[in-house]
Amino acid sequence: MAASAEPAGALLGPGVRAVLEAWPALRVAVENGFGGVHSQEKVRWLGAAVEDYFVQNADLEQDEVEDLLADIMSSEFDTLVEDGSLAQVSQQLRTVFRYSQSGQEPLLREFLGQVGRKRAEVKALEGPAADQANGNNSDQEERTDRGAEEMAVTDNKEAPALPRGSQAGPSGVTSPGHEPAEDGWIVIQRKKK
């Protein structure tokens, strides 16, 4: 985003879209047509719906945002998101809203720049992952593994790093109190209200 004279409140919509565009689960659902022939239109609608949801409900908790995103991904994109990214995306959306509402344009622009850089890193990892599936280059496999380990669900507290080679499931995200099943996967269930 180029610097402009827009008030931070006007950056809510573009900020929401930037976070959603950087969300790998949504991108995979769209690229694979899980939303049907109108997947791109659904993504635009999703951005507007999330923006409206925040504007109409100023004091949203993270689990409320997660529930909204999970419901939309399930109903509109026929996708059950179990990679831990719902918490991360929800937190990012809450951050965008908080900066937008408090008029902190420089912090919002910096945050959106970080989101954009993370998106570029994830896209860069997608190329080597495809080569790895074809059996090419073990160096690329190691870099992909490191990238997966660096992905973490964070909130306002610092998340501990995973030890190299840990059995953390498909996305490298673990949750306290969840032990790996016999096959090494960790099942993380949504909290009950």
Side-chain angles (χ1 to χ4, degrees), residues 6-165:
E6 294 180 274
L11 294 175
L12 177 60
V16 166
R17 285 188 298 278
V19 169
L20 293 175
E21 288 171 3
W23 187 13
L26 179 60
R27 198 167 53 245
V28 166
V30 171
E31 288 173 357
N32 290 296
F34 296 167
V37 295
H38 301 289
S39 291
Q40 290 297 331
E41 290 85 6
K42 288 182 179 183
V43 170
R44 285 190 289 277
W45 168 82
L46 175 59
V50 169
E51 181 181 356
D52 288 344
Y53 188 64
F54 273 96
V55 169
Q56 293 172 6
N57 304 286
D59 245 356
L60 290 170
E61 295 293 324
Q62 183 166 335
D63 62 335
E64 294 173 306
V65 180
E66 287 180 39
D67 289 345
L68 172 74
L69 294 175
D71 289 345
I72 290 173
M73 289 297 288
S74 177
S75 64
E76 297 298 327
F77 295 96
D78 198 26
T79 302
L80 183 60
V81 181
E82 294 181 328
D83 65 353
S85 65
L86 281 170
Q88 184 178 18
V89 171
S90 298
Q91 184 62 39
Q92 290 173 341
L93 289 169
R94 290 180 67 224
T95 300
V96 166
F97 182 71
R98 185 176 60 247
Y99 287 160
S100 172
Q101 293 307 105
S102 63
Q104 297 177 349
E105 181 180 359
L107 286 175
L108 179 56
R109 288 188 182 282
E110 180 182 333
F111 179 75
L112 293 176
Q114 291 171 356
V115 168
R117 284 188 294 281
K118 289 288 183 193
R119 178 182 182 195
E121 289 172 12
V122 169
K123 280 190 151 221
L125 289 173
E126 289 173 355
D131 288 342
Q132 174 187 343
N134 295 329
N136 297 339
N137 203 334
S138 64
D139 288 340
Q140 290 176 340
E141 179 180 27
E142 185 177 323
R143 277 182 270 156
T144 301
D145 289 344
R146 274 196 310 262
E149 288 174 7
E150 292 170 1
M151 290 177 58
V153 176
T154 59
D155 54 11
N156 294 337
K157 296 177 243 165
E158 190 72 23
L162 293 172
R164 186 142 181 71

